[in-house]
Amino acid sequence: MGTITHDVPRLDADPFAIDTLLNPYAVQELVREIGPVSYVERYGSYAVGRYDEVRTILRDWESFTSTAGAGLTDIRKPDAWRQPGPIVESDPPDHTRIRGVLSKIISPKIIKGWQESFQAEATLLADRMCEARDVDGAKDIAEAFVMKVFPESLGLSPHRENMVIVGNYNFNALGPKNELFERSAAELAGIAEWFDAAQDREGVAPGSFGEQVYNAEDEGLLEPGVARGLVRTLLRGGMDTTISGIGSMLMFLSQQPDLWRTMRSDRSRMKLAFEEAIRLEAPIQSYYRTTTKEVEVGGVRLEADTKVQVFIGAANRDPRKWEDPDRYDLGRSPAGHLAFGQGIHLCIGQLIARMEAESVLVALLDRVKELQPVGKPVYRPLNTLRTLDALPLRLIPA
């Protein structure tokens, strides 16, 4: 073991500056290369961006708790500006019990049963896109598809405009109370009545996933009030990350026309297309854990009860882990990427996200001879989510 030190380099850059959110790569590199751990004085938090250290923190829930919140604010304190998520922001034994209930309700067998409806919807969407030819891959494909199939699968009524507002707020609230947060909070307040009703038991379809969550609470498998929180968590967090990943996948594939042509005839690497996209552009760029005690990371001693900003986006581009890490390369295995998290908080909906992405990709590969970029991709500035706001594409039908 190397020398353990309390001396931590100061990170002067603001990870939540608009310019950084729109173009995060320089700060990602700075976080990685300044040391295994740095300290962001303006937010009173540590920052970690190297793959090994990030992975270690995510797998050690006893030293780095989620119960203080996955965002910058400590949700245990009265001045917190976020509601806690019952599964994302809990640790064992509560997390184990809740995850066990959810795992039975959305088992791989159940999810597999959604595949036919997902593929049918993707087929209809691809046909419409081929007729239009000039489309926005971010809104017309990724957002339109996920916001149709995902809420309906959970038994919730889709409302696309409102769900965008909810998603923007969710990921802005994980950061500081900056202008992005204040704007999102105001927009959410404008749809408060709808958002409140969308989480209610009366708002979920009979026999659906949502109703099963409420039934589990009735049976005593979940604590009172947890079911509503779980529905809220899925509504606000289960869509936007998948939309981000599908958008990135389409962007990268449109930029490599030879790869698109090859994949049309050889689907052997098709499943890697989404995985490599979310490695390269991690949907959630960073989130937080909180130290439960003095703990060592990379030879550095971290103080107890302090937030740690875990840079997934930086870790997924760490040259210590990945060769030529900034390249979209389906010749590599992206196995081990951290976009779905690690440890006990590994994304419970990852199979759904993969199936959504594959459904869209299959439908497009079957119908589109060429996927061409016809304008510059535009990113939406959000505190913790990396997602496209516009992706101008031209589809040349087969």
Side-chain angles (χ1 to χ4, degrees):
M1 183 181 295
T3 302
I4 299 173
T5 177
H6 284 270
D7 295 329
V8 183
R10 264 39 183 177
L11 187 72
D12 292 330
D14 182 359
F16 301 107
I18 297 294
D19 288 347
T20 297
L21 296 175
L22 294 175
N23 191 5
Y25 312 116
V27 170
Q28 286 179 0
E29 183 177 8
L30 178 61
V31 171
R32 281 194 307 265
E33 302 311 321
I34 197 171
V37 180
S38 55
Y39 187 75
V40 189
E41 199 131 21
R42 75 181 67 213
Y43 299 123
S45 64
Y46 294 109
V48 178
R50 295 179 183 176
Y51 180 89
D52 286 345
E53 283 77 10
V54 167
R55 185 173 180 270
T56 295
I57 289 171
L58 296 182
R59 294 168 70 90
D60 184 1
W61 63 268
E62 292 176 299
S63 302
F64 301 93
T65 183
S66 296
T67 59
L72 175 59
T73 187
D74 190 330
I75 59 174
R76 303 169 299 184
K77 297 179 179 178
D79 61 347
W81 56 84
R82 291 182 56 250
Q83 290 179 292
I87 187 168
V88 174
E89 293 168 316
S90 64
D91 286 329
D94 293 342
H95 179 272
T96 306
R97 181 174 62 255
I98 295 169
R99 192 176 181 103
V101 171
L102 281 184
S103 296
K104 292 178 181 177
I105 295 174
I106 50 171
S107 66
K109 182 178 180 181
I110 296 295
I111 294 171
K112 186 72 173 175
W114 298 348
Q115 187 167 22
E116 186 175 339
S117 63
F118 280 19
Q119 196 62 65
E121 183 60 37
T123 298
L124 291 173
L125 178 63
D127 286 339
R128 292 198 302 271
M129 296 300 99
C130 284
E131 286 183 20
R133 296 206 177 198
D134 284 352
V135 304
D136 183 336
K139 287 187 169 64
D140 298 336
I141 301 178
E143 184 181 286
F145 178 75
V146 176
M147 287 195 174
K148 176 74 165 59
V149 302
F150 185 73
E152 289 183 352
S153 298
L154 301 181
L156 305 173
S157 299
H159 189 303
R160 187 166 163 184
E161 182 180 341
N162 286 359
M163 288 188 296
V164 170
I165 292 173
V166 170
N168 288 348
Y169 173 81
N170 178 51
F171 291 102
N172 279 330
L174 289 171
K177 289 184 82 171
N178 56 11
E179 184 181 346
L180 290 173
F181 169 80
E182 299 294 353
R183 191 185 310 146
S184 287
E187 290 177 347
L188 188 69
I191 62 163
E193 187 174 338
W194 173 86
F195 188 39
D196 191 59
Q199 306 168 51
D200 282 343
R201 186 170 201 147
E202 292 74 20
V204 301
S208 68
F209 165 87
E211 186 180 61
Q212 290 180 65
V213 172
Y214 275 106
N215 289 343
E217 184 176 292
D218 293 342
E219 295 165 13
L221 300 175
L222 298 172
E223 295 292 324
V226 167
R228 181 181 173 85
L230 286 174
V231 171
R232 180 180 69 245
T233 296
L234 290 162
L235 178 65
R236 71 186 187 184
M239 295 179 294
D240 299 272
T241 50
T242 308
I243 292 168
S244 165
I246 292 175
S248 293
M249 176 181 71
L250 295 176
M251 178 182 70
F252 290 129
L253 290 174
S254 71
Q255 293 168 349
Q256 297 191 37
D258 290 344
L259 179 57
W260 182 264
R261 284 191 287 270
T262 299
M263 286 182 64
R264 291 202 69 227
S265 58
D266 179 5
R267 307 288 172 94
S268 61
R269 294 181 180 175
M270 185 179 66
K271 291 182 184 296
L272 297 177
F274 182 66
E275 302 296 321
E276 176 69 348
I278 61 175
R279 178 198 68 80
L280 197 54
E281 291 289 1
I284 301 179
Q285 288 282 287
S286 72
Y287 46 81
Y288 289 83
R289 294 289 187 262
T290 302
T291 54
T292 59
K293 57 189 176 184
E294 278 203 359
V295 60
E296 177 198 348
V297 175
V300 179
R301 182 72 71 179
L302 277 59
E303 300 293 338
D305 197 30
T306 306
K307 287 280 182 172
V308 183
Q309 188 173 4
V310 181
F311 282 82
I312 305 300
N316 272 356
R317 286 175 176 251
D318 189 349
R320 297 165 185 80
K321 169 68 176 177
W322 315 99
E323 184 177 349
D324 196 8
D326 298 331
R327 174 177 167 79
Y328 183 73
D329 182 3
L330 299 193
R332 81 165 97 238
S333 169
H337 73 73
L338 304 175
F340 286 125
Q342 282 280 300
I344 64 168
H345 289 285
L346 188 68
C347 177
I348 197 168
Q350 60 182 287
L351 293 180
I352 303 173
R354 288 184 171 114
M355 194 163 71
E356 288 173 288
E358 186 173 342
S359 297
V360 169
L361 187 53
V362 166
L364 291 174
L365 286 171
D366 284 347
R367 289 161 179 79
V368 177
K369 181 170 63 175
E370 293 183 28
L371 187 68
Q372 302 173 347
V374 290
K376 187 176 180 180
V378 177
Y379 281 91
R380 185 185 312 164
L382 296 169
N383 277 334
T384 53
L385 184 74
R386 179 80 168 152
T387 196
L388 288 159
D389 206 37
L391 178 63
L393 296 175
R394 178 166 296 147
L395 278 59
I396 308 300

